[in-house]
Amino acid sequence: MPLPFLTADRSFEAASESPLPHDDRDRWRRPYRPGPWRVGGAALWLLFSSFVLFAAVLIALTGSVSSAGVILAVALAVIAAALRILRMGVWVSAHGLRQVGFLATRTVPWQRVVAVRTAQQPVRWLGLPRTVQGQALTLVRKDRAADGTAPLLTTHNLDFLNRPAAFDLAADTVEAWAGEYRRG
């Protein structure tokens, strides 16, 4: 009796070409995995929040409930920041392209997208003001100048630092999805 999952007698390419039954085009998806710098940073924030939560419990046990409430609120804010760091990135659906930042989210419908291109240009290193030469996935929109928008992905951001192959794969995937969704 053959099993429906990937087996040794079936090639990987054949399995990846068939759509999954739960594949929903209207669902927002990130076309790449979060990088080790992003996951490591969020893990450190969560570790810090565990110490703050422990401090809140100790403060509550010693008697000052209002101070424990303030420390609990700080811990919850740190947890929310860590989860937001993990959520940051580029998301794609049939509705458009969404760039999730730490404080803001921008969504561009496919009707406004002219092109999604990879370009060699100076990029910010880990989001800091320092720039280095690298590649960036840029979005060209109908309603804005080509150089007026921030890059979607770069080779030196938290997801792709020291991982050029992962950047190439993610950029190709976003470009392919943009081509498919703009046509369809």
Side-chain angles (χ1 to χ4, degrees):
M1 166 168 91
L3 298 175
F5 56 86
L6 184 64
T7 59
D9 60 341
R10 195 168 99 190
S11 68
F12 179 72
E13 290 80 22
S16 65
E17 290 175 7
S18 62
L20 297 174
H22 62 275
D23 191 21
D24 185 12
R25 293 174 53 98
D26 292 330
R27 193 171 152 232
W28 289 100
R29 297 177 284 183
R30 184 181 357 213
Y32 58 90
R33 292 183 182 175
W37 288 91
R38 183 174 308 282
V39 173
L44 288 176
W45 280 99
L46 289 173
L47 180 66
F48 174 67
S49 71
S50 69
F51 289 122
V52 175
L53 284 171
F54 184 67
V57 168
L58 289 179
I59 290 172
L61 290 176
T62 59
S64 179
V65 177
S66 62
S67 296
V70 170
I71 300 300
L72 178 65
V74 168
L76 293 176
V78 170
I79 291 170
L83 294 177
R84 187 66 179 183
I85 287 171
L86 286 174
R87 182 129 174 93
M88 288 171 55
V90 174
W91 297 75
V92 179
S93 82
H95 302 291
L97 188 120
R98 181 175 284 176
Q99 186 173 16
V100 178
F102 187 72
L103 296 175
T105 299
R106 295 181 325 187
T107 303
V108 180
W110 291 119
Q111 293 82 16
R112 292 189 193 160
V113 174
V114 174
V116 178
R117 299 184 188 127
T118 304
Q120 189 81 17
Q121 66 184 35
V123 296
R124 298 173 92 187
W125 185 76
L126 293 177
L128 299 172
R130 177 181 172 214
T131 60
V132 296
Q133 192 64 25
Q135 290 184 345
L137 184 68
T138 58
L139 175 68
V140 180
R141 296 174 54 170
K142 288 181 184 176
D143 56 349
R144 290 199 183 162
D147 57 351
T149 59
L152 299 173
L153 305 172
T154 67
T155 53
H156 291 81
N157 68 2
L158 287 172
D159 291 318
F160 303 110
L161 187 65
N162 295 329
R163 298 175 54 217
F167 172 79
D168 292 338
L169 182 63
D172 291 343
T173 303
V174 172
E175 287 174 357
W177 283 5
E180 176 185 341
Y181 288 138
R182 280 187 300 128
R183 276 184 267 136

